[in-house]
Amino acid sequence: MPDSITRPKTVAVIGAGPVGLAAAAHLLERGLEPVVLEAGASVGHAVRQWRHVRMFSPWEYNIDKAAERLLAGAGWNRPQPDHYPTGAELVEQYLEPLATRTPLKDRIRTQSLVTAIGRAGFDKVKTRGRDAAPFEIRYQNGKGPEVLRADAVIDATGTWFSPNPAGANGLPALGEHEAQDRIAYGMPDVLGRDRARYAGRCVAVLGAGHSAVGTLIDLARLQDEVPATRIVWLLRGESPEKSFGGGAADQLSARGALGTAFANLVTSGRIQTESGFRVSRIAREGERLVVAAAGCPGRHVAVDELVVSTGFRPDLDFLREIRLSLDPALECPPALAPLIDPNEHSCGSVRPHGARELVQPESGFYFAGMKSYGRAPTFLMMTGYEQVRSIAAEIAGDHEAARKVELVLPETGVCNGAPASLAPLNTDAAASGCCGPVATSGCAAPAATAASSCGAPAKPAPQATGCCGPKAS
């Protein structure tokens, strides 16, 4: 009898975050053999980077069902379903017990950085017999290079360690690499371990998503403690209201409350807002960073620190020998792109999807979790759990279960505009992001942009709208 029939399939799971561990749990339930390769020293390595952040989804949405069944056998006490965990709580109360107190403990290899994946004996060009060849996964650990062979691969590496740059065109801004010591990406812990870096400083935050909003709110809290802290919000788009979220209409109440709190901070003038600010260049000027906007000569902000919260992108470098089909814009599986495209998709209700939408031309290879979304934002953990449930069923040959995907995601309450319950910004200058009425060119006079620096201005500009200085009374 052929060996492929007598032995369970080995499935390599790349990444030991919430979705990767959920994949391993589902694979075990299916009688398959998961091997989890994690680059970090422990599970949840990426989550630990944002351990200070409180999630806007409660525990009831953050625990995978197969993982919970494994934990129940180990005498685990489930957290209160309506509690909103921090990243640290997610690791300590869920991921670590799952990795150390269940049968998964013998399936996880930490400090194992995957460097390349291919087909044993086949380069990317060769086709005949390809699907029957095992995957060859190469990884590095403390002992040196290692090789794992597997029948299938689930890439759940996420995107946290591949942040988008500050440049508005998707490329690093000119001078961005040279200013790295003054730039942070994602969500620095401004109230905790990074407090000394930001307290009493002028800090600009670039971005319009939840990471940017959360950081701006934390900076406002820091300002309460250290009033000399100055905050500038650099917004590429023209409409700040979109970042306020759905308020009371959001079915995840913490997410709605986050947007409402942020709206209040912005409308009160505590956060200096620069909309329509598309970063082109970053330069040092003495002890400060001068961040310049594209297409608006002379428009800039001068700050002490810059936080770039412009989203993330998938790392595809180690998959050069895997046959992939990706949406040209989002870098996600093509069938998934119409469901999550931020240019079109606005209400937060992603149609249920699983193995069928995530399949790749390379038979047996799947993306799952945040990486499956490519460059698209607003991924919920429960989406990843349903993905890996379906993928595990497909790999096990249970095609009916793989196709039966049922998932209802909480609505954001935002559909093509700000909710009526939130007052729009009172920007008499039409939210131009400059300091006066919008000229035909879209730029304010260079003299007005001097107020965009965080130094104490001698006088507010007479037509200031709240973006570049106090609003005129």
Side-chain angles (χ1 to χ4, degrees), residues 169-258:
N169 57 2
L171 303 175
L174 297 175
E176 183 170 349
H177 290 310
E178 292 76 11
Q180 288 295 295
D181 62 323
R182 294 293 185 89
I183 302 175
Y185 297 85
M187 297 187 71
D189 187 1
V190 301
L191 294 172
R193 66 183 182 273
D194 301 318
R195 188 178 191 277
R197 178 172 178 174
Y198 298 103
R201 312 278 280 173
C202 175
V203 186
V205 178
L206 172 65
H210 293 114
S211 295
V213 169
T215 298
L216 287 161
I217 289 174
D218 281 351
L219 283 168
R221 291 171 179 152
L222 182 60
Q223 189 182 62
D224 289 337
E225 302 169 9
V226 185
T229 306
R230 302 280 306 278
I231 311 166
V232 183
W233 180 26
L234 303 180
L235 178 66
R236 289 172 176 170
E238 301 291 346
S239 174
E241 291 90 347
K242 191 173 182 180
S243 297
F244 298 165
D250 195 319
Q251 291 182 6
L252 290 178
S253 59
R255 184 169 60 188
L258 184 79

Side-chain angles (χ1 to χ4, degrees), residues 9 117-119 127 129-135 150-154 322-324 358-366 394-395:
K9 287 182 177 179
I117 303 177
R119 290 278 193 179
T127 299
R130 183 180 188 87
D131 290 354
F135 288 93
D151 301 291
V153 175
I154 300 174
I322 295 296
R323 295 180 174 182
L324 301 177
L358 300 170
V359 68
Q360 287 293 318
E362 195 72 75
S363 177
F365 182 91
Y366 299 89
E394 184 67 25
I395 294 172

Side-chain angles (χ1 to χ4, degrees), residues 67-126:
E68 184 173 11
R69 289 189 286 269
L70 283 181
L71 284 162
W76 176 72
N77 291 320
R78 194 182 199 276
Q80 286 295 113
D82 58 350
H83 175 70
Y84 291 81
T86 62
E89 290 171 331
L90 184 71
V91 170
E92 294 163 6
Q93 298 179 35
Y94 175 51
L95 299 183
E96 286 182 347
L98 183 59
T100 60
R101 293 166 52 185
T102 75
L104 291 186
K105 66 181 184 295
D106 300 320
R107 316 285 180 146
I108 301 169
R109 303 178 189 180
T110 56
Q111 293 185 314
S112 297
L113 174 66
V114 174
T115 57
I117 303 177
R119 290 278 193 179
F122 289 77
D123 66 22
K124 192 173 187 176
V125 177
K126 190 175 179 182

